[in-house]
Amino acid sequence: MGARFVLIRPKSIHQWEALGVAYLAAYSYRYGGFSRSDYNFFDGIFDEDEEIIAGCKDAEYIGFSLTTFSVDEALRLMKKIRAVNSDAKIVWGGYAVNGFTEARLLEKWGDQVDYFLQGPGEESWLEVIAGKASGRVIRKQIMAELDRIPYPDRELIKIDRHFEKLRKMGEIRKTSMEMQRSVCPFDCVFCAGSSFAKPNKRSRTAENIVGEMVELRDKWGMDKDSMVLMADAEVFLTPDMYNMAELKIRQQVEFKYGMNVVPSMILAPSQRRTLEKMRESGLTEIWMGVESGPTLMKETGKPITPEKVREAFRITKELGLIRKGYFILGFTPNETEDTIKERISFIEEIDPDEVGFTIYIPVPGSRDYNEELHGAINYAASDEYQNNFTRTITLTNADLHRWQDYLVKYFSDKAAWRQNPTKNRSLQQHRNPGRSGY
């Protein structure tokens, strides 16, 4: 007899550890009386179809953790799973389902999927497997007390495989965790974050965060030569973050870490003091979405200005942090060759240590997404690095790719991992590449 519950993360270009399903399982242990023996987990980057299908043969519930880019892979696997197990209930969660109305979800995939979990999935998943679901589409908001959520079950998701993969690539020991589960209050045109839950700046307590860090140190060998990538969409420099940094130092948790921040959110004196304390506690990298040069920055929807970006990069350089800047081409119809060229001088001015260039792709849940215009995009063959969809008033898709290639070559000494993996791996001992090096 196989596991009652199978959790699957299909193969995709976006391959972090499946922390989301590790949280679902851990929550069900604590509040539903289930245990790891009730579960099995498969990851498309490691597991072959045959193993996944065999593991689903006796399952009662099969949960898929999905991004927009992995939906087609899930549908392909489900067809094979249904051939051996037509009785299992199929459950979808993740960003792939957050940006649609209930009616649209049921119209698109309702004949193949039994339940859709929108927003944080812990409570919804437990309702489903306990037979208490009140509908097929279940939406939850962020819990008021985040410390109620147990640490994710990293043993279930076989985190050792990720460590081994990185070792074979010649990289340092890295893993990921969340410090906050805040939902960004900003309305960037290209981001689907607001579709996840209502905006908030909730945070786990310092004690709860550092407790998980201690577990990473003691159970998973994350030492001073290791790197933890904070999986938060954005980290806000709240008093909890200052207290976390102090406690991490006191508890002698020595691993390095990196995080996403909005450039304008590190400029206030209190925010800078928090950043300084985090630097003291092992923060070595800052990842900042700049997206544009000065002319189009106002069109991002992000609360940044050229002056704020300049100051953010100056402050973080002064603190000795590795600063990674990310830029999106074609996120507005007003993109031209001149606005792309403008990025060159601006990047040279702010002088990031690493830089990445992507091409905008509209995704469900983002402010700019329009089902009539974008519903036919083949996301299985498209992402923010390669797509044949995006164009502007004056630039074709081929033009955008030509400029992407030009910028990557122009800044080849700074190119982030996806666009220059050999270079970054050779610098690992000096730079400890973080999120973009995962």
Side-chain angles (χ1 to χ4, degrees):
M1 182 72 177
R4 295 179 62 192
F5 314 128
V6 174
L7 296 170
I8 300 172
R9 204 268 302 275
K11 184 181 293 185
S12 169
I13 185 176
H14 304 95
Q15 287 294 342
W16 292 50
E17 302 115 320
L19 276 184
V21 298
Y23 275 115
L24 300 190
Y27 191 85
S28 76
Y29 306 161
R30 178 175 294 182
Y31 299 106
F34 299 104
S35 68
R36 187 180 298 125
S37 63
D38 292 309
Y39 281 88
N40 206 341
F41 167 74
F42 297 101
D43 187 329
I45 197 172
F46 296 108
D47 301 310
E48 300 294 335
D49 279 9
E50 293 74 17
E51 185 179 0
I52 297 173
I53 306 311
C56 292
K57 187 175 182 181
D58 298 317
E60 298 174 24
Y61 292 90
I62 302 170
F64 285 82
S65 177
L66 301 175
T67 67
T68 300
F69 306 99
S70 60
V71 166
D72 281 6
E73 180 68 6
L75 292 170
R76 186 188 67 80
L77 284 172
M78 284 164 52
K79 186 175 182 180
K80 292 186 175 184
I81 290 169
R82 286 300 194 197
V84 300
N85 185 346
S86 60
D87 296 325
K89 300 297 184 183
I90 301 290
V91 186
W92 278 15
Y95 273 101
V97 305
N98 284 318
F100 295 103
T101 65
E102 178 175 349
R104 187 63 179 134
L105 281 174
L106 294 174
E107 179 186 358
K108 285 174 71 72
W109 300 301
D111 60 336
Q112 298 163 285
V113 180
D114 296 285
Y115 296 99
F116 300 90
L117 312 185
Q118 296 182 313
E122 290 87 359
E123 295 172 294
S124 303
W125 172 253
L126 181 55
E127 287 179 8
V128 168
I129 63 175
K132 298 179 180 179
S134 57
R136 293 183 61 191
V137 180
I138 307 169
R139 177 176 284 281
K140 301 290 185 182
Q141 296 298 325
I142 303 291
M143 295 183 197
E145 299 295 333
L146 291 180
D147 285 8
R148 291 189 68 245
I149 304 173
Y151 301 150
D153 185 356
R154 291 180 169 87
E155 190 169 338
L156 173 69
I157 62 173
K158 306 169 188 176
I159 194 175
D160 282 331
R161 299 192 296 187
H162 287 272
F163 291 138
E164 179 62 14
K165 178 188 74 172
L166 292 170
R167 187 192 66 78
K168 289 180 177 179
M169 292 171 64
E171 294 209 29
I172 62 174
R173 194 173 183 87
K174 285 183 286 188
T175 189
S176 56
M177 66 172 284
E178 292 180 342
M179 289 198 295
Q180 301 170 335
R181 194 177 278 194
S182 57
V183 176
C184 184
F186 311 127
D187 196 20
C188 303
V189 297
F190 37 75
C191 180
S194 61
S195 70
F196 181 71
K198 294 178 181 177
N200 70 83
K201 290 187 179 180
R202 294 196 183 117
S203 176
R204 302 162 60 187
T205 63
E207 292 75 15
N208 185 263
I209 295 169
V210 176
E212 183 175 352
M213 290 178 168
V214 169
E215 181 179 283
L216 286 173
R217 179 194 67 190
D218 296 346
K219 185 173 182 179
W220 299 109
M222 300 301 293
D223 59 17
K224 62 183 178 61
D225 296 319
S226 303
M227 183 76 185
V228 172
L229 317 175
M230 297 306 166
D232 312 80
E234 305 289 350
V235 172
F236 294 93
L237 303 186
T238 63
D240 281 322
M241 295 299 97
Y242 187 97
N243 295 337
M244 175 281 299
E246 282 198 319
L247 186 57
K248 182 177 185 290
I249 294 168
R250 290 202 303 271
Q251 294 278 359
Q252 297 182 339
V253 179
E254 297 181 319
F255 58 67
K256 306 172 184 69
Y257 62 104
M259 64 187 190
N260 271 320
V261 296
V262 178
S264 57
M265 297 293 103
I266 65 175
L267 304 182
S270 62
Q271 294 166 338
R272 176 158 182 176
R273 286 193 294 272
T274 297
L275 193 61
E276 290 170 347
K277 181 59 68 173
M278 295 175 82
R279 176 70 180 93
E280 184 184 346
S281 74
L283 176 69
T284 59
E285 299 187 6
I286 288 287
W287 317 317
M288 291 184 275
V290 183
E291 324 308 356
S292 175
T295 299
L296 294 180
M297 199 168 289
K298 61 182 179 296
E299 296 192 28
T300 64
K302 186 175 288 190
I304 56 176
T305 65
E307 293 73 23
K308 289 178 178 179
V309 170
R310 291 184 183 104
E311 182 65 3
F313 275 83
R314 185 194 68 78
I315 287 173
T316 49
K317 183 175 183 178
E318 194 174 85
L319 289 176
L321 295 168
I322 295 169
R323 299 152 310 132
K324 301 185 177 184
Y326 296 101
F327 292 81
I328 302 174
L329 307 182
F331 70 88
T332 167
N334 296 318
E335 184 85 276
T336 66
E337 287 199 354
D338 286 339
T339 62
I340 291 178
K341 291 176 184 176
E342 183 186 58
R343 286 171 172 81
I344 296 174
S345 58
F346 192 64
I347 292 168
E348 290 175 333
E349 181 182 358
I350 63 176
D351 190 29
D353 298 288
E354 290 192 10
V355 63
F357 301 99
T358 56
I359 294 176
Y360 171 64
I361 183 77
V363 293
S366 64
R367 173 157 62 95
D368 200 40
Y369 181 82
N370 182 308
E371 180 79 2
E372 289 187 10
L373 295 176
H374 306 138
I377 292 175
N378 178 9
Y379 287 104
S382 301
D383 56 52
E384 66 271 33
Y385 291 91
Q386 289 289 333
N387 72 74
N388 62 8
F389 174 82
T390 304
R391 53 191 50 82
T392 73
I393 293 171
T394 60
L395 298 174
T396 67
N397 184 262
D399 291 332
L400 291 170
H401 280 288
R402 177 170 56 83
W403 276 107
Q404 181 189 36
D405 291 342
Y406 178 86
L407 291 168
V408 169
K409 291 175 183 176
Y410 188 96
F411 292 103
S412 60
D413 61 322
K414 296 176 180 288
W417 181 82
R418 286 191 188 275
Q419 293 172 323
N420 196 343
T422 302
K423 185 270 301 186
N424 271 351
R425 280 202 288 271
S426 71
L427 291 177
Q428 64 185 359
Q429 296 302 323
H430 304 286
R431 305 272 292 278
N432 294 313
R435 184 175 186 179
S436 62
Y438 194 77

